[in-house]
Amino acid sequence: MSKLPDESFRDSIGTINKEGKRAWIFPKKPKGYFYDKRKLVSYFLLVFLFVAPFVKINGHQFLMFNVLERRFNIFSFPFWPQDFHLFVISMIIGVVGLALFTVAFGRIFCGWFCPQTIFMEMVFRRIEYWIDGDRGAQIRLAKQEWNAEKIRKRITKWIIFFIFSFLIANVFLAYLVSSDRLLLMIKEGPALHTSTLVALLIFTAVFYFIFAWFREQVCIIACPYGRMQGVLLDNKSINVAYDHVRGEKEIGRAKFNKQEDRASTGKGDCIDCKLCVHVCPTGIDIRNGTQLECINCTACIDECDTIMESVGLPKGLIRYASEDEIVKKEKFVFTTRMKGYTAVLTILIGVLIGMLFLRNDVEATVLRLPGQLFEHKGENISNVYTYKIVNKTTKQFDNVTFKLIEPKGEIILVGNPSIKVKPDGIAKGTLFIEINPAYIEGDKIKLKIEVYDGENLIETATTNFMGPRSFN
Ligand code: SF4
Ligand code: SF4
């Protein structure tokens, strides 16, 4: 195997120049087999991303991440603060799943599914190509003085970028506070919701900043998943990779010469056209090997395949491959590490499904008021409690009542005895439980309480009851 010619690329990232300043990337417009496939995937994901918060199943928004109220809907399963453990398990499953996926298939997620890449490469970058032209025209425009053409192009681009950022911010808000609330706020007008409007404009500014200026640096500098690559990838992970064995051969890459029989010269198949570098949205040279900047966007595969075809060499000089496949010609193997991750993932999914099935649609808690002892009320002993009923269904409970099952006794509600709980709502209040001393064995006994809506039993709760020691 020939030695890599220059290792200086390891000392800096592709977006910083020698003076330590931002090196603006002007990637060539990608085209080819993978780009077409990625476009199709991105159309599907964009529709999904924009529609998901407005779709409801059984009255529950399909996806919602209301972090302020700690309420989440995942595939229309509502997760309340009481279900937070389920939400945490879902998130752990997501992280383990992504880690497993990365160990096996590298950063495929980044190139094909990540919202940052989808918006940057498939929305904002394409608007830029449409207004500013391809790489060459963009470089010329950047160097050009501020004449009428540059002002017109820049202002058009900034306005369109702002409109798209504002749209994305609205959808983001629909995920955050629910689409119902967003639509209501739009209907009522911004004057009644100035604080939300300010938040919306801040989100818009953040998205504008990311897609108009920060761009690929999100993947290179800010994204924690990108940082994890170094520990997750190994020689068996599949990545967008340059086949350096074929590309460099005995004497390395060299320009294409139609007159020579390249195979007999010892020159590699790489004709050093640098198109894979020019098309790269993170500004790297994939021929230097796997690098943290590479988001596996496949643009260099398409570009190199086009060149290989045009010079009559086999396609796939840059392709999806593991280091072992390139060097040792080994095929993909399901490694022990992957098996371990799969086992953990299967167990976690099993636990989550079990918990989802065991989870109640209604949660009732009855807790003794902290710091309160018992009271004598006539012949009975009385304890005071707070109750909370969480209705996770889309039905309204119109007449909630409590029934003491064990032992015998009476439940007295404080205030309005007719409890109503709205869909996705909570009811809280205070109640007394009175029990005859004959039924109290010990100073602390367990109570079983049934909760009804009309005639329907909706939940069974347990709690403690304190009695005087003299009744032992
Ligand atoms: S090296 Fe290739 S796959 Fe990686 S980011 Fe650049 S163009 Fe995309
Ligand atoms: S596009 Fe292919 S042939 Fe051209 S420089 Fe890159 S790897 Fe070499």
Side-chain angles (χ1 to χ4, degrees):
M1 190 184 77
S2 57
K3 204 173 174 304
L4 289 176
D6 181 8
E7 298 271 314
S8 61
F9 69 92
R10 296 194 192 282
D11 303 333
S12 64
I13 54 172
T15 51
I16 309 278
N17 65 20
K18 287 196 177 74
E19 288 81 46
K21 293 199 179 123
R22 170 88 181 269
W24 195 265
I25 311 283
F26 299 96
K28 184 178 176 298
K29 193 175 175 182
K31 59 175 185 313
Y33 173 82
F34 284 104
Y35 189 59
D36 289 345
K37 294 281 172 291
R38 279 178 58 222
K39 273 201 280 192
L40 290 179
V41 173
S42 72
Y43 296 148
F44 170 77
L45 290 176
L46 283 168
V47 170
F48 179 82
L49 228 80
F50 277 85
V51 169
F54 298 94
V55 171
K56 285 183 177 177
I57 297 177
N58 292 331
H60 294 296
Q61 187 168 317
F62 192 64
L63 285 177
M64 185 179 80
F65 304 94
N66 190 338
V67 274
L68 303 174
E69 294 172 11
R70 289 188 294 143
R71 286 178 54 195
F72 305 89
N73 288 1
I74 298 178
F75 304 132
S76 285
F77 274 107
F79 291 86
W80 283 69
Q82 292 80 359
D83 302 318
F84 200 67
H85 57 294
L86 294 178
F87 183 73
V88 171
I89 291 178
S90 313
M91 290 297 112
I92 294 173
I93 289 174
V95 171
V96 175
L98 205 57
L100 169 69
F101 197 74
T102 310
V103 167
F105 303 110
R107 274 177 99 163
I108 280 188
F109 172 83
C110 302
W112 291 77
F113 308 112
C114 174
Q116 160 70 19
T117 310
I118 302 270
F119 280 121
M120 185 65 243
E121 301 306 324
M122 295 296 170
V123 179
F124 289 87
R125 189 87 73 189
R126 289 176 73 189
I127 295 169
E128 198 160 71
Y129 288 133
W130 175 59
I131 296 169
D132 292 351
D134 208 343
R135 173 182 158 83
Q138 286 186 21
I139 295 173
R140 269 196 304 281
L141 193 70
K143 287 185 184 154
Q144 195 170 304
E145 61 184 39
W146 282 91
N147 58 13
E149 183 206 6
K150 185 162 173 172
I151 293 170
R152 177 177 51 78
K153 285 187 171 171
R154 285 287 185 263
I155 289 179
T156 312
K157 188 166 83 173
W158 293 337
I159 291 174
I160 297 178
F161 274 20
F162 180 83
I163 293 169
F164 273 81
S165 301
F166 185 70
L167 269 176
I168 297 169
N170 271 276
V171 175
F172 185 67
L173 207 63
Y175 278 104
L176 214 59
V177 298
S178 88
S179 52
D180 284 349
R181 255 157 79 182
L182 175 74
L183 294 174
L184 184 74
M185 285 189 277
I186 292 172
K187 209 169 129 196
E188 290 178 347
L192 286 179
H193 303 281
T194 40
S195 55
T196 311
L197 181 69
V198 171
L200 193 66
L201 290 175
I202 292 172
F203 289 146
T204 306
V206 170
F207 288 127
Y208 184 87
F209 167 76
I210 289 173
F211 297 118
W213 191 81
F214 203 53
R215 303 189 153 199
E216 70 287 337
Q217 303 199 88
V218 171
C219 315
I220 299 173
I221 300 169
C223 175
Y225 176 58
R227 304 276 70 70
M228 277 163 55
Q229 306 305 311
V231 286
L232 291 174
L233 300 182
D234 60 20
N235 283 1
K236 296 191 180 343
S237 309
I238 291 178
N239 266 308
V240 171
Y242 167 66
D243 186 340
H244 54 89
V245 175
R246 187 188 138 194
E248 307 294 316
K249 290 206 180 129
E250 294 88 44
I251 60 169
R253 60 189 80 146
K255 293 283 177 212
F256 182 65
N257 182 353
K258 234 199 237 173
Q259 317 306 328
E260 68 187 5
D261 171 18
R262 199 169 176 98
S264 61
T265 59
K267 290 177 187 168
D269 278 3
C270 172
I271 63 162
D272 208 16
C273 65
K274 292 199 171 61
L275 284 175
C276 54
V277 183
H278 293 162
V279 83
C280 178
T282 61
I284 58 165
D285 187 342
I286 188 71
R287 296 172 301 168
N288 289 331
T290 304
Q291 293 151 75
L292 71 87
E293 294 100 322
C294 177
I295 54 166
N296 274 230
C297 74
T298 70
C300 54
I301 300 185
D302 281 334
E303 210 61 32
C304 191
D305 278 352
T306 311
I307 284 295
M308 289 293 109
E309 247 183 341
S310 69
V311 297
L313 290 169
K315 292 203 280 187
L317 179 56
I318 302 177
R319 63 179 185 274
Y320 278 119
S322 68
E323 180 65 11
D324 280 356
E325 187 197 327
I326 289 170
V327 178
K328 302 179 192 163
K329 308 287 171 226
E330 269 178 14
K331 285 286 158 219
F332 174 73
V333 277
F334 200 57
T335 60
T336 314
R337 183 149 68 132
M338 291 177 199
K339 284 177 194 158
Y341 278 127
T342 311
V344 173
L345 193 63
T346 313
I347 293 167
L348 283 172
I349 290 174
V351 169
L352 182 69
I353 292 173
M355 284 174 140
L356 281 175
F357 274 109
L358 290 175
R359 193 186 73 139
N360 288 346
D361 279 348
V362 180
E363 261 184 38
T365 43
V366 181
L367 296 172
R368 279 190 61 249
L369 208 59
Q372 295 290 315
L373 287 174
F374 61 89
E375 269 181 66
H376 290 276
K377 282 211 180 149
E379 288 185 347
N380 293 337
I381 302 294
S382 167
N383 279 196
V384 61
Y385 296 83
T386 56
Y387 67 83
K388 182 158 93 176
I389 301 160
V390 183
N391 179 4
K392 300 175 193 170
T393 71
T394 49
K395 283 186 303 192
Q396 160 129 341
F397 298 146
D398 285 319
N399 182 23
V400 176
T401 51
F402 295 88
K403 198 169 173 184
L404 186 59
I405 301 300
E406 272 174 32
K408 269 191 177 173
E410 204 184 341
I411 296 181
I412 302 144
L413 287 166
V414 176
N416 186 358
S418 168
I419 304 168
K420 288 186 177 26
V421 197
K422 284 187 196 154
D424 273 342
I426 297 179
K428 288 179 188 174
T430 310
L431 56 83
F432 288 97
I433 297 182
E434 293 182 10
I435 298 176
N436 191 289
Y439 299 109
I440 305 172
E441 292 166 7
D443 58 350
K444 191 174 170 187
I445 58 167
K446 273 232 170 306
L447 307 184
K448 187 175 164 196
I449 299 163
E450 286 183 343
V451 186
Y452 289 82
D453 175 36
E455 298 295 308
N456 294 332
L457 176 67
I458 51 175
E459 171 69 321
T460 304
T462 55
T463 189
N464 291 321
F465 186 90
M466 296 277 282
R469 281 183 188 276
S470 55
F471 287 107
N472 285 348

